[in-house]
Amino acid sequence: MFSILTTLLSIPSILHVARTRHLYDDVGHFRKQHDHGIPRLGGVAIFASFNLTLLIFSMVDKSVPLTYILTSSIILFAMGLKDDLSGVNPSTKFVIQFFVGALLVLLGDIRLTSLYGVFGIYDLSYFESAAISILFIILIVNAFNLIDGIDGLAGTTCVIVNGTFTILFVYMKRYELAAISLAIVGAVIGFLRFNITPAKIFMGDTGSLLIGLISAVMALQFIEANKLTANNSPAIYSAPAVAFAILIGPIFDTLRVFILRIAKGTSPFGADRNHIHHRMLRLGFNHLQTTFILAGINIITIVMVLRFSFIGNFALMGVIFGISLLFNWGITFCLRCRERERFTIRFLFA
């Protein structure tokens, strides 16, 4: 509740400053979905609310490197704010994200120590563990940044992702981790009050990078907390598959656009309007409908994986990816049908 109120009380002041200083989004960019300037500093309120809540209410536990989590969030906030105000070179972004990932993994020891049988791999060496964990953090941070393309989608996804982690951590009696997840959920819920269509403010990179960072950290902590060892019996079985289901929306969309861009011979970090949410808009759905549909599919996938967690990680991940491919194929089929209808109409009335 504290984080919700902090965000709700902060955003009106941010809107006032943004309007006074003319700090608006670039409506001329080809990816933008709005025809008028909207401030993109909502992430400032999310960052302030999240950090204040953690500093005041967090439960300190030696197993949770809160100092490194807060330090990493501050570094990403600084970079995101500069990007929102004047832009940051993509290579600089990557270097800073790599540094943040290394900080969390090498100093905070937030990392995967096993692949739990996925691809037949179990325990990882320290080098393999660190490399995979850093790449995972970079992937999730960028994935949330990439899905922040329509009103409410990134924020709603964050609430689902970290809300689910909160419930699972409470069930596992890992209350210190639940507190971190809940803090970001509250901060984003307060933001969504101003971001659901019609949006009055965007979260910008300051917000999307932060929620991606916290989501990645919570996923790594969740998987490791459910590792089967001689001294630990997991509370949640098939934890990697469960984490994959929770994060499937951002992960699948990011991998899909990266693969398509590489196949076309363009930079995977280039901008386009080929994300799943852009394609759904072309089908005629509005921002709110697209957000609700994608959120609903995410929730259904999470419930299904939790229900059938006994199947095993590799099989469940295959099912999750198969469902995502099927959904993507359905969108492609509908778009092609729509294009054929338009061609037929133009031909008949030519």
Side-chain angles (χ1 to χ4, degrees), residues 25-58:
D25 196 24
D26 180 13
V27 296
H29 195 279
F30 76 96
R31 293 181 65 207
K32 301 305 176 184
Q33 299 292 325
H34 301 79
D35 57 4
H36 59 285
I38 297 176
R40 58 194 311 248
L41 296 174
V44 175
I46 296 173
F47 170 81
S49 176
F50 172 71
N51 280 269
L52 281 174
T53 303
L54 276 193
L55 291 170
I56 295 173
F57 296 105
S58 65

Side-chain angles (χ1 to χ4, degrees), residues 20 32 107 167 181 274 277 289 295 297 332:
T20 303
K32 301 305 176 184
L107 298 182
I167 295 169
S181 294
N274 197 28
H277 52 268
Q289 291 168 337
I297 293 172
T332 301

Side-chain angles (χ1 to χ4, degrees), residues 147-289:
I147 66 168
D148 185 29
I150 61 174
D151 298 345
L153 180 58
T156 301
T157 303
C158 174
V159 171
I160 293 172
V161 167
N162 288 283
T164 303
F165 281 134
T166 299
I167 295 169
L168 294 175
F169 283 135
V170 169
Y171 174 76
M172 296 161 54
K173 296 182 173 56
R174 295 296 303 271
Y175 302 115
E176 70 286 352
L177 290 171
I180 297 174
S181 294
L182 190 58
I184 196 68
V185 168
V188 173
I189 287 176
F191 164 77
L192 284 173
R193 161 68 178 78
F194 300 89
N195 185 242
I196 292 293
T197 301
K200 298 180 178 65
I201 192 169
F202 299 146
M203 68 170 61
D205 279 14
T206 50
S208 62
L209 295 175
L210 174 63
I211 64 177
L213 177 72
I214 302 306
S215 298
V217 169
M218 292 299 100
L220 291 172
Q221 293 285 66
F222 170 74
I223 294 171
E224 280 300 295
N226 287 287
K227 184 178 181 180
L228 178 61
T229 65
N231 301 318
N232 181 58
S233 180
I236 307 292
Y237 286 93
S238 300
V242 173
F244 186 55
I246 293 171
L247 293 166
I248 187 58
I251 289 176
F252 180 78
D253 186 55
T254 300
L255 293 178
R256 177 186 163 276
V257 295
F258 274 22
I259 292 171
L260 288 176
R261 290 169 186 172
I262 292 171
K264 293 177 181 178
T266 60
S267 169
F269 300 101
D272 59 31
R273 290 179 54 125
N274 197 28
H275 292 278
I276 290 176
H277 52 268
H278 290 137
R279 302 175 81 219
M280 291 185 68
L281 292 179
R282 292 203 295 272
L283 284 175
F285 295 106
N286 60 34
H287 287 219
L288 192 61
Q289 291 168 337

Side-chain angles (χ1 to χ4, degrees), residues 115-122 238-242 244 305 308-322:
L115 287 188
Y116 304 85
V118 178
F119 303 116
I121 303 172
Y122 288 89
S238 300
V242 173
F244 186 55
V305 171
F308 296 100
S309 60
F310 59 87
I311 293 176
N313 286 306
F314 193 73
L316 279 174
M317 287 183 173
V319 171
I320 296 166
F321 202 71

